[in-house]
Amino acid sequence: MSIRIVTSRSIHETNLSDWSTVCDLASDLLMHPALLETAEASMGVGTAGAKASECDTHFWYLLAYQDDEPVGAACVAEYPLDTTVFASPLAQRVVVNVRRLIPHYLKFRVTFCGLPISTAGSNLRVVAGADAAGIVCALNEAIEQIARERKTWLIVYKEPDRREAELLGPLKTAGFVQAESLPMNRIVNQFASFAAMLGAMRSHYRYKIARSRKKFSYSGLKLTRTTGRAAIEQLYTPAWHAMYERVTRRAEHRLEILPREFFLELSTRLPDELILTSVTQSAEVLAFAWSLRYATIYHNLFVGIDYERNEETDAYFNLMVEDIAYAMEQPVGEIFVGQTADDFKSRLGCTADPRYLFIKVTSRWLQWCFLRMQGLFLTPPPAAPQRDVFRHEPSCIDVAG
């Protein structure tokens, strides 16, 4: 049976009834129209956010049909990318020197199956029980056609977990190379409370957290959680956003720098789910975190830090601890704590779950070069720390911290 692909240029033009048949919108944040609308409204070509951050993005939404039944879906974006995001530190240093002569060397627009946002998840779905291999191949043919029409040199499927990577296995026969992306730090919310989790930790891990929280309580620092568009827009000034930009620019691996408009748009479409947690001292912000609470998952997304004052106040450490403590009070099963600072987060009880990329160079000549030099540009991330943080098997019995 043949598979038919219907393509739309906006989520508003997509058959949302069929989209929701493929994507379980009650639990699937990454394919939820609210998130997709936010990306379009803040990063789409010609929007204020795109102009401010030079991130003009084109979007496509693909629905796969078999016998007129929706069986698959994918979100596709064309985004300007510095391709050294995949490279080793050595390769990055070489490219920096080349760019003194050729400023845009290895910077070009890429066709993503996925959003140009660091969400550590895939944006391709297949209905359970359907012909997964056939649907993935049909969706990929449509994505490759988009890349040909747009003349992009690279196609990237980002960032499936192990199960999703198995689903995308047929891409290898179409010339894609599978690579490792940064892992997602994750906590399974299997304790009755944050105090119960602390009680299960080995003493030296528990002691550091308890000492830092006590220091925070006597420091005069204030932690505030803010939700809703009006309150967030008033609080999240361009100066706050500049802190987020500085943190992102310092990252060794950076996909995007989101415009301020992205967060404001998200606060409109998911006002109760989006949380801005901030640490302030005498009304001056020291650190903040953006988090999304949706269905059974709590996502800690992006942070801003005043690096000059962080060492004296432990603001970032306490921000992350208190955000995790708050997340554990919510009716969620998993807490995602981001793809960086693995060593630090492992001490808080996080485990690192692998994420992958499927990459194809569309030019035959460049593909020949890429396949022979991929070891230079597709170096795996450093191995995540393996720490025995807990004294015993996790218990759901609350104990004193």
Side-chain angles (χ1 to χ4, degrees), residues 80-159:
L81 179 69
D82 181 344
T83 52
T84 59
V85 69
F86 309 124
S88 66
L90 173 61
Q92 290 180 2
R93 289 195 292 271
V94 170
V95 171
V96 166
N97 290 325
V98 173
R99 284 178 180 166
R100 293 172 180 170
L101 300 174
I102 309 173
H104 294 287
Y105 180 65
L106 289 182
K107 292 182 180 179
F108 45 84
R109 301 187 70 83
V110 173
T111 300
F112 285 103
C113 179
L115 291 171
I117 304 167
S118 298
T119 54
S122 170
N123 281 85
L124 185 147
R125 302 289 184 270
V126 174
V127 169
D131 175 15
I135 294 165
V136 167
C137 289
L139 287 169
N140 180 62
E141 287 178 10
I143 292 170
E144 293 206 35
Q145 180 61 33
I146 290 171
R148 285 192 294 270
E149 292 173 356
R150 299 291 304 172
K151 296 182 171 61
T152 56
W153 292 1
L154 202 65
I155 302 172
V156 178
Y157 283 72
K158 61 178 288 282
E159 287 177 287

Side-chain angles (χ1 to χ4, degrees), residues 261-283:
E261 287 78 2
F262 173 83
F263 301 102
L264 300 183
E265 291 288 347
L266 196 57
S267 69
T268 298
R269 290 169 172 80
L270 292 169
D272 298 324
E273 293 83 0
L274 182 66
I275 304 159
L276 175 58
T277 305
S278 57
V279 175
T280 56
Q281 186 176 52
S282 302

Side-chain angles (χ1 to χ4, degrees), residues 226 228-238 260 264 267 276 290:
T226 307
R229 169 74 187 230
I232 283 177
E233 186 168 16
Q234 182 178 6
L235 189 64
Y236 192 64
T237 63
R260 176 172 175 261
L264 300 183
S267 69
L276 175 58
W290 289 104

Side-chain angles (χ1 to χ4, degrees), residues 16-281:
L16 292 182
S17 175
D18 290 347
W19 189 267
S20 63
T21 297
V22 178
C23 312
D24 181 6
L25 302 185
S27 61
D28 193 346
L29 173 64
L30 298 190
M31 297 295 274
H32 197 288
L35 181 61
L36 305 179
E37 288 171 354
T38 297
E40 277 191 50
S42 60
M43 304 174 71
V45 173
T47 61
K51 292 176 181 177
S53 58
E54 299 181 351
C55 65
D56 276 341
T57 308
H58 296 267
F59 293 92
W60 294 263
Y61 303 91
L62 279 54
L63 273 168
Y65 292 86
Q66 193 167 44
D67 292 338
D68 294 326
E69 292 294 323
V71 291
C75 172
V76 179
E78 180 190 314
Y79 183 78
L81 179 69
D82 181 344
T83 52
T84 59
V85 69
F86 309 124
S88 66
L90 173 61
Q92 290 180 2
R93 289 195 292 271
V94 170
V95 171
V96 166
N97 290 325
V98 173
R99 284 178 180 166
R100 293 172 180 170
L101 300 174
I102 309 173
H104 294 287
Y105 180 65
L106 289 182
K107 292 182 180 179
F108 45 84
R109 301 187 70 83
V110 173
T111 300
F112 285 103
C113 179
L115 291 171
I117 304 167
S118 298
T119 54
S122 170
N123 281 85
L124 185 147
R125 302 289 184 270
V126 174
V127 169
D131 175 15
I135 294 165
V136 167
C137 289
L139 287 169
N140 180 62
E141 287 178 10
I143 292 170
E144 293 206 35
Q145 180 61 33
I146 290 171
R148 285 192 294 270
E149 292 173 356
R150 299 291 304 172
K151 296 182 171 61
T152 56
W153 292 1
L154 202 65
I155 302 172
V156 178
Y157 283 72
K158 61 178 288 282
E159 287 177 287
D161 58 21
R162 280 198 179 100
R163 181 189 61 80
E164 292 166 332
E166 291 178 3
L167 178 72
L168 297 176
L171 295 175
K172 295 177 184 178
T173 62
F176 283 81
V177 173
Q178 181 175 340
E180 290 185 55
S181 185
L182 299 176
M184 169 58 78
N185 291 291
R186 179 178 70 105
I187 295 175
V188 177
N189 191 13
Q190 54 191 328
F191 296 95
S193 66
F194 186 66
M197 188 177 86
L198 287 180
M201 284 182 166
R202 296 185 183 277
S203 59
H204 57 288
Y205 294 110
R206 182 174 66 251
Y207 172 74
K208 183 173 183 179
I209 294 173
R211 183 186 63 181
S212 186
R213 295 184 91 191
K214 183 177 290 187
K215 178 181 176 182
F216 181 84
S217 67
Y218 291 111
S219 66
L221 302 182
K222 180 181 179 182
L223 186 137
T224 305
R225 293 187 180 89
T226 307
T227 59
R229 169 74 187 230
I232 283 177
E233 186 168 16
Q234 182 178 6
L235 189 64
Y236 192 64
T237 63
W240 281 42
H241 186 67
M243 289 178 61
Y244 151 76
E245 290 182 331
R246 286 194 292 273
V247 170
T248 307
R249 291 185 193 282
R250 287 179 58 156
E252 183 177 323
H253 300 282
R254 183 185 76 240
L255 170 64
E256 83 293 349
I257 296 181
L258 296 169
R260 176 172 175 261
E261 287 78 2
F262 173 83
F263 301 102
L264 300 183
E265 291 288 347
L266 196 57
S267 69
T268 298
R269 290 169 172 80
L270 292 169
D272 298 324
E273 293 83 0
L274 182 66
I275 304 159
L276 175 58
T277 305
S278 57
V279 175
T280 56
Q281 186 176 52

